[in-house]
Amino acid sequence: MAVSGLLLGGFMLVHLGENLLLLKGEAAYNGWVEMLLANPVTPLLEIGLLFLFLAHIITGTWVRIEDFLKAPSGYETLRWQGGRTLGSATMLYTAAALLVYLVYHMLTFRFVDHSMGFYQMVTGAFRAPVFVALYVAGSAALALHLSHGMQSAFQTLGVNHPKYTPLIKAVGMLVAVLMTGFALISVYYLLGMDIKAAEAGYNIVIIR
Ligand code: HEM
């Protein structure tokens, strides 16, 4: 569960980087996605990714069932003695929300007709407030999930050191905060900031 979680966290950072290319413009974004689709290795990576999600969901569910079956009275107190945070207390709920979000995400961006081009599809979808609200909620669930998940994964793997644990926690928190970037991208298009930037004469907003 810890290994699949860390690898999925790595995927999220890469995916955020990919989607920041939206800000660079249509040619950059479509060029990247089309390059990926033309690469014969991509289907293998997608199967690997599917395997990671399944492994994470199945092991996560199994751990919860085991906890439930074994739990003596007062177990909750033991479980959270390392410090209960909003992230740790809501892991199950954010996991469920992410699963729903992911299915919706696949149905709207992955398994659809891409003939209009990926940039048009994504930015067009982000003009709709309800769609963006779902993306903001999904992004918040992801940030909350990772705020506990990243550090918890290292602890499970036995990385526990007085000197490095605070650093691991800080990096985990940074990764979690970065996940709000998905929400910011969708809000950027909802507010028409790309249009305002183009009117002001900026084609490239963040990355060059
Ligand atoms: C700004 C927000 C996001 C945008 C614009 C975006 C865009 C996309 C697009 C266009 C695809 C389809 C690529 C293809 O058909 O090959 C995709 C796939 C995917 N996205 Fe996102 N995404 C966003 C956020 C997220 C988040 C928050 C997650 C995870 C919770 C996520 C997980 C995935 C996964 C697992 C795939 C499938 C990968 C693949 O099959 O290549 N995405 N995304």
Side-chain angles (χ1 to χ4, degrees), residues 11-12 15-16 18-19 22 29 33 36-37 42 46 49 53 98 101-102 105-106 109-111 114 118 121-122 126 135 138-139 142 179 181-183 185-186:
F11 164 74
M12 290 307 160
H15 198 45
L16 179 63
E18 292 179 314
N19 287 317
L22 284 165
Y29 191 69
V33 181
L36 276 184
L37 293 181
T42 303
E46 286 188 321
L49 195 59
F53 272 108
L98 280 172
Y101 167 82
L102 207 56
H105 185 46
M106 293 300 104
F109 281 173
R110 178 70 179 81
F111 301 112
H114 292 135
F118 283 86
M121 171 187 75
V122 171
F126 287 162
Y135 268 70
S139 177
L142 183 58
M179 294 303 118
F182 287 114
I185 293 172
S186 62

Side-chain angles (χ1 to χ4, degrees), residues 88-182:
S88 65
T90 53
M91 283 307 266
L92 193 59
Y93 308 112
T94 50
L98 280 172
L99 195 56
V100 173
Y101 167 82
L102 207 56
V103 171
Y104 182 73
H105 185 46
M106 293 300 104
L107 294 178
T108 46
F109 281 173
R110 178 70 179 81
F111 301 112
V112 285
D113 175 20
H114 292 135
S115 56
M116 72 170 79
F118 283 86
Y119 180 88
Q120 288 301 336
M121 171 187 75
V122 171
T123 57
F126 287 162
R127 308 283 178 209
V130 175
F131 199 91
V132 170
L134 284 169
Y135 268 70
V136 171
S139 177
L142 183 58
L144 207 52
H145 197 74
L146 295 196
S147 74
H148 177 71
M150 294 300 279
Q151 59 154 87
S152 168
F154 280 103
Q155 221 163 39
T156 305
L157 294 175
V159 186
N160 209 338
H161 188 280
K163 202 164 145 195
Y164 301 118
T165 299
L167 181 68
I168 288 172
K169 282 189 179 179
V171 173
M173 202 49 89
L174 176 68
V175 172
V177 170
L178 283 176
M179 294 303 118
T180 58
F182 287 114

Side-chain angles (χ1 to χ4, degrees), residues 1 4 54-66 92:
M1 186 179 184
S4 57
L54 289 178
H56 198 66
I57 294 166
I58 292 168
T59 50
T61 311
W62 181 244
V63 166
R64 285 287 166 161
I65 292 173
E66 267 190 343
L92 193 59

